[in-house]
Amino acid sequence: MEATKTHIVHGGTLRYLKHDSVTTGTSMTLSVFVPAGEGPFPVLIWLSGLTCSEDNFTTKAGAYRAAAEQGLIIVAPDTSPRGPDLKGRAVADDAAYDLGQGAGFYVDATETPWAPHFRMETYVVEELIALIDAGFPTTKTRSISGHSMGGHGALTLALRHPELFKSVSAFAPIASPTRCAWGEKAFTAYLGEDRSLWDAHDAAKLVEAGAGQNPGGAGAFDDILIDQGDADGFLVDQLKPELLVAAAKAAGQTLTLRMQPGYDHSYFFMASFIADHIGFHAKRLKTS
């Protein structure tokens, strides 16, 4: 990976990086914060939402004071492959913020023209994790969190790959993309018309089906932390956290939903509670 910018923040080092991805066949970008000291440190992966790049979290979340105090590396990848010649651009108008570049939905596309490049699940759980463990002083343990589309990604990747993550949390996640317009549009394009294949990428349906088990059958996550603003304009039509709560209750999965009065969908919301999430993950990452 090549560093394009480096900053010192709260005693640690923040790097913007790029690399040629074997998974997406494109250049990918990300940011990595490493606290002061020799380490090794556990890792928190952050997945951002629609229209975002790695820069939104990096510049707006205010996460690095808490990460420095807790001794966590934070990794924030871009939300999709990008490029002027990228397959998919011709069918995804740049004005369509909810499909194509900036809207990878953390799935591996199977449909034309998306399949060659839009492979964000494999990128995160295989290539990105391997690159971070090889290039930084990690303990090779990690947790995952995200916002909106990235909250959907954090939940589904953790539930689909529980052996990789110690804990999972989300801000305003798309809780059930098979039952909202954002998800239906993206899944039709990326995964095809067969809706039965979509359920494997729907957090509420995964929880209800008992996903999130480590090998041997033990539950991977003692709790799932969700923060949701009650003034979020997307709450009713797109996010639907009540479906996730109902699924967790049916499956016996502990889930903490904190409805935050007056908060919206912006990074002001995340900046207000990011330290709680970092503490939530640090507790579990430091417990073997």
Side-chain angles (χ1 to χ4, degrees):
M1 291 188 287
E2 175 188 350
T4 59
K5 292 189 289 186
T6 301
H7 305 280
I8 300 300
V9 55
H10 296 298
T13 303
L14 172 67
R15 296 176 179 87
Y16 284 86
L17 302 158
K18 67 178 181 179
H19 70 101
D20 292 330
S21 170
V22 297
T23 303
T24 68
T26 67
S27 177
M28 294 294 291
T29 57
L30 64 150
S31 73
V32 179
F33 170 80
V34 180
E38 295 183 1
F41 306 104
V43 174
L44 176 61
I45 295 175
W46 173 270
L47 303 181
S48 291
L50 289 168
T51 77
C52 292
S53 70
E54 74 282 359
D55 200 43
N56 297 75
F57 174 84
T58 305
T59 59
K60 295 180 179 180
Y64 300 129
R65 181 186 295 277
E69 292 171 350
Q70 297 285 359
L72 296 188
I73 291 173
I74 299 187
V75 177
D78 198 355
T79 56
S80 79
R82 299 180 191 267
D85 300 321
L86 193 64
K87 284 185 172 61
R89 190 180 181 94
V91 296
D93 187 332
D94 286 348
Y97 72 95
D98 53 356
L99 185 67
Q101 298 187 63
F105 268 83
Y106 305 101
V107 300
D108 285 355
T110 58
E111 299 299 298
T112 302
W114 308 99
H117 302 294
F118 279 72
R119 304 182 63 229
M120 288 301 293
E121 178 172 11
T122 294
Y123 174 72
V124 172
V125 302
E126 294 185 10
E127 187 172 6
L128 180 65
I129 286 174
L131 284 169
I132 297 302
D133 282 346
F136 294 91
T138 79
T139 59
K140 294 183 171 54
T141 57
R142 67 201 67 82
S143 294
I144 192 165
S145 186
H147 168 237
S148 194
M149 178 188 71
H152 140 76
L155 291 168
T156 57
L157 296 189
L159 291 165
R160 286 169 57 81
H161 306 277
E163 72 282 359
L164 296 179
F165 303 103
K166 292 287 189 179
S167 53
V168 57
S169 73
F171 286 84
I174 303 172
S176 188
T178 65
R179 290 173 279 187
C180 75
W182 279 341
E184 289 176 340
K185 179 178 181 178
F187 284 7
T188 300
Y190 297 149
L191 303 176
E193 298 284 352
D194 185 352
R195 296 178 70 101
S196 67
L197 302 177
W198 299 4
D199 290 356
H201 304 280
D202 181 306
K205 292 187 176 182
L206 284 167
V207 168
E208 189 173 12
Q213 303 292 309
N214 276 321
F221 309 115
D222 65 322
D223 193 8
I224 297 172
L225 175 62
I226 308 291
D227 268 308
Q228 173 65 61
D230 72 0
D232 189 323
F234 301 114
L235 174 59
V236 174
D237 293 334
Q238 302 283 14
L239 305 179
K240 304 184 179 184
E242 70 278 1
L243 297 176
L244 193 56
V245 171
K249 183 176 181 180
Q253 168 66 58
T254 301
L255 183 145
T256 300
L257 172 64
R258 307 194 309 183
M259 294 299 298
Q260 303 292 0
Y263 284 90
D264 58 20
H265 201 68
S266 73
Y267 264 87
F268 295 111
F269 168 45
M270 282 164 279
S272 300
F273 300 102
I274 191 68
D276 292 352
H277 284 244
I278 289 172
F280 172 86
H281 294 296
K283 177 181 177 181
R284 289 156 177 80
L285 284 163
K286 295 175 183 179
T287 303
S288 59

